[in-house]
Amino acid sequence: MVGGGGREHAIVRALGRSPRRPELLCAPGNAGIAADARTLEIAAADLDGLVQAVADQSIDFTVVGPEAPLVAGLVDALAEEGHRAFGPSAAAARLEGSKQFAKQVMDAAGVPTPAWRAVEDVETGMRAIGGYPAVIKADGLAAGKGVVLAADEAEARATLQSLLVERRFGTERVIVEECLAGEELSLLALCDGRRAVPMAPAQDYKRIFDDDRGPNTGGMGSYSPVPGIDAAAAGEIAAAVHQPVIDELAARGTPFHGVLYAGLMLTDEGPRVLEFNVRFGDPETQAILPRLRSDLLELAEHAARAGGLADARLDWDPRWAVTIVLASAGYPESASTGDPISGLDAVPPGIEVTHAGTTVKADGTAVTGGGRVLNVTALGDGPQAAREAAYAGADVIDFPGRQLRRDIAARAAERVR
Ligand code: AMP
Ligand code: GLY
């Protein structure tokens, strides 16, 4: 397993549930992952180090968590040395690495997405804006911070200035796109180069404060499934969104293997794609994988082979899962580290705690080590039961300045009684 966040911890746990009882290694992992896998001190960005470790440790199969090593070509580098991996090639990972590329692929494949224009200077950008709020997106990887919904002309100009002149994310291009309204949905699909198999739907909470106020974060919570999106609806969306993209990339000679994650807006005119990611979502994965009854290891191996998922059927726990993210003081502008964490031993049984940013000190005590610190996931027969259990678990864990949202899955609980 490559990576070291809450998503990777959830993936390690799911791989560990495989009846094949795999021996698991994780690079670099974190303090929590170290309890479930042997960790290797190799950064996810160190492609040479990772390829070397796969050879040295005779690793059979590599699962890549984060986007950066995928976009940088880790799966290609492994393949060149004859190693199998779960995740797209660099050519296919451009779906996340370049928003312009993703838009061009969607247009070619007839996938519904907001109207857009790519621009490279501030004045052209200002003229491309059709109204406010204006959606402005950096064209490259920006760790979830590259999208601004500018309220007025002044904010739009300042955003274009920061992205195109100061090169805040190192990209020379931005996408200006139509602003849409509706419920958001994360629909991830396992892909084998030919076919997209949708997973259970999930919803993510991007803003730091309740009622979607405050700045965007990496994600403050999630839940799965989503009211109104049953298996048939998810299949329809995958047929209209994921499958045409898979077909288009296959026709271009760059087939997509791994997880294709569509960030969707459910509008009155139907679903529209806001973004593609080429990996599992964080924190969606922490709510999705505890519901997966099928063997993730086997599915990942099948996905790595052309057409390997032809007979795949995904079996889901019918219960609901809710994940609460506990973040450190100052997040998302900064992250307070070294704050002692209490209560980890007192979490009730059946509640899954995955680690995102934690560190173990020499004396064995756990302290905060990043912006998002811990994820607490609970299953329940409905969204209300799941959220009550998740908050009961979250509330026994404490650290100075702890931040959490209180409204995760609240609307789902109102809709599904
Ligand atoms: P993205 O990283 O592209 O998914 O954008 C981050 C967030 O910005 C999304 O989850 C939405 O909340 C919002 N967003 C992105 N694109 C649009 C759009 N075209 N209209 C309205 N909101 C958007
Ligand atoms: N939860 C959003 C993401 O993983 O990009």
Side-chain angles (χ1 to χ4, degrees), residues 1-4 7-8 44 63-71 96 278-279:
M1 181 78 225
V2 175
R7 162 184 57 205
E8 285 77 17
V63 177
V64 186
E67 61 275 18
L70 293 167
V71 172
E96 180 166 0
V278 298
R279 45 151 181 96

Side-chain angles (χ1 to χ4, degrees), residues 204 218 261 277 279 281-284:
D204 172 25
Y261 162 143
N277 296 319
R279 45 151 181 96
D282 191 345
E284 289 95 327

